[in-house]
Amino acid sequence: MTGTRQVRPDASPRTTLDKAAHENFPVAPFFLPRAWRDDLTAVYGYARLVDDIGDGDLAPGGADARHLGAEGETDRLALLDAFEADLRRVFDGTPSHPLLRALRPTVRRHALTPEPFLALIEANRQDQKVRRYETFDDLVAYCELSANPVGRLVLDITGTTSPERLRRSDAICTALQIVEHLQDVAEDLAHDRIYLPAEDMKRFHVTEADLARPTGGASVRALVAFEADRARRLLDDGTPLVGSVRGRLRLLLAGFAGGGHAALDAITAAGYDVLPGPPRATRPNLMRAVAAVLRSARGEG
């Protein structure tokens, strides 16, 4: 899922939110109105926490489980069930977890519905049950749960939702998820997860043993290049979303799209060898990618 996995000893909203610095894109940058920053930070905190539960990054018996009424519980599916129950109290009661209490004003202010939040929980349930994906379409269906709801929430919070913008947002979010999977091939394999479609692995003659090597051979690098191109085309399909809005929101969305492009550029610069560790974009390269997206948006707007 999103970000860098870190086991944390106890619940702390600040510890969770600090992980925003490890994302490929800005979460709630300073140039946004304070109300937007607060709301986007609340949504990020929710998404980050549900991923931490699904990835097993909560220390057993820590405060997160205690807040959810599941102290001592180590089963991830049980913790996700407890988290869903507390989420539902955001909409019809008083949640117990601090990050869910922080989410409640955002939900009320924008009349948000439970569906995108529930989708993120379902994605993490799927991670407990599905560890390989046969086709690219299967992976895209997973991204519809794990990534696309976040983009939809951004549009809802900023009051810019429309059918066409939703489609473009979904393309960007799916691309960002695929890019993250490409960066984290080795880490995911260590958790017995592979997000490279099995049919593509067969096409490029890549085995799971190849993915476990310290560096990628020619076949692995060719496979990563193929998937990176798919992600790039999704980003290109979604980028007109940036030109459809104005002001500071345009800059925010350019940050999302530019972050994806910069991460793909880093993967390319590494020769598509992602096995030694996640290729990350430098800040100057990120700024250049965002500027390129903005130039494209001006031509479309």
Side-chain angles (χ1 to χ4, degrees):
M1 301 296 289
T2 59
T4 301
R5 295 188 180 113
Q6 303 170 1
V7 175
R8 46 202 189 106
D10 212 346
S12 165
R14 177 46 48 196
T15 301
T16 300
L17 297 175
D18 283 345
K19 295 185 180 183
H22 300 285
E23 303 293 352
N24 284 325
F25 49 85
V27 172
F30 70 92
F31 56 79
L32 293 178
R34 177 60 183 270
W36 281 7
R37 292 203 312 271
D38 290 347
D39 291 335
L40 292 172
T41 298
V43 166
Y44 176 79
Y46 173 87
R48 183 66 268 173
L49 179 57
V50 72
D51 279 359
D52 283 350
I53 295 172
D55 288 336
D57 290 347
L58 305 186
D64 288 299
R66 194 160 57 247
H67 283 304
L68 297 173
E71 186 171 4
E73 181 62 72
T74 59
D75 181 78
R76 298 180 195 180
L77 288 171
L79 285 168
L80 288 168
D81 288 345
F83 188 69
E84 178 179 335
D86 208 31
L87 167 68
R88 292 187 182 278
R89 287 190 282 272
V90 171
F91 296 89
D92 59 13
T94 302
S96 298
H97 197 286
L99 285 172
L100 291 178
R101 289 201 298 270
L103 182 65
R104 198 176 182 198
T106 296
V107 165
R108 290 184 166 184
R109 192 156 38 242
H110 302 285
L112 302 178
T113 64
E115 283 73 22
F117 300 102
L118 290 170
L120 294 173
I121 294 175
E122 191 57 36
N124 279 274
R125 286 197 180 103
Q126 185 165 316
D127 273 332
Q128 312 313 309
K129 304 170 185 176
V130 181
R131 297 182 177 273
R132 306 291 189 274
Y133 290 85
E134 181 61 31
T135 70
F136 184 69
D137 286 345
D138 293 339
L139 183 63
V140 168
Y142 168 74
C143 294
E144 289 174 2
L145 296 173
S146 67
N148 298 3
V150 176
R152 290 174 172 242
L153 285 167
V154 170
L155 295 180
D156 286 342
I157 286 170
T158 57
T160 53
T161 300
S162 73
E164 180 63 10
R165 285 176 178 148
L166 287 173
R167 189 185 76 77
R168 301 286 190 184
S169 172
D170 286 352
I172 291 174
C173 291
T174 293
L176 290 174
Q177 182 77 87
I178 292 171
V179 170
E180 198 163 282
H181 291 327
L182 294 178
Q183 290 174 312
D184 294 340
V185 168
E187 182 179 0
D188 288 332
L189 183 62
H191 289 79
D192 192 28
R193 294 175 184 165
I194 297 178
Y195 295 100
L196 297 166
E199 66 176 8
D200 296 339
M201 290 177 63
K202 292 173 186 173
R203 174 181 175 182
F204 286 90
H205 307 288
V206 171
T207 67
E208 292 192 17
D210 293 328
L211 300 181
R213 298 182 187 280
T215 61
S219 59
V220 171
R221 287 184 278 111
L223 171 60
V224 172
F226 177 74
E227 306 299 350
D229 181 65
R230 276 177 155 166
R232 182 87 68 182
R233 283 186 275 120
L234 279 168
L235 277 177
D236 289 342
D237 183 37
T239 295
L241 171 67
V242 179
S244 76
V245 299
R246 297 290 181 269
R248 286 176 282 188
L249 178 57
R250 176 178 283 195
L251 188 55
L252 175 68
L253 298 183
F256 294 162
H261 280 290
L264 285 170
D265 290 343
I267 291 171
T268 303
Y272 301 103
D273 187 4
V274 297
L275 299 188
R280 302 290 184 193
T282 64
R283 185 169 181 81
N285 287 344
L286 173 61
M287 293 299 101
R288 281 193 286 271
V290 171
V293 171
L294 286 171
R295 286 195 297 272
S296 173
R298 282 195 292 270
E300 296 163 352

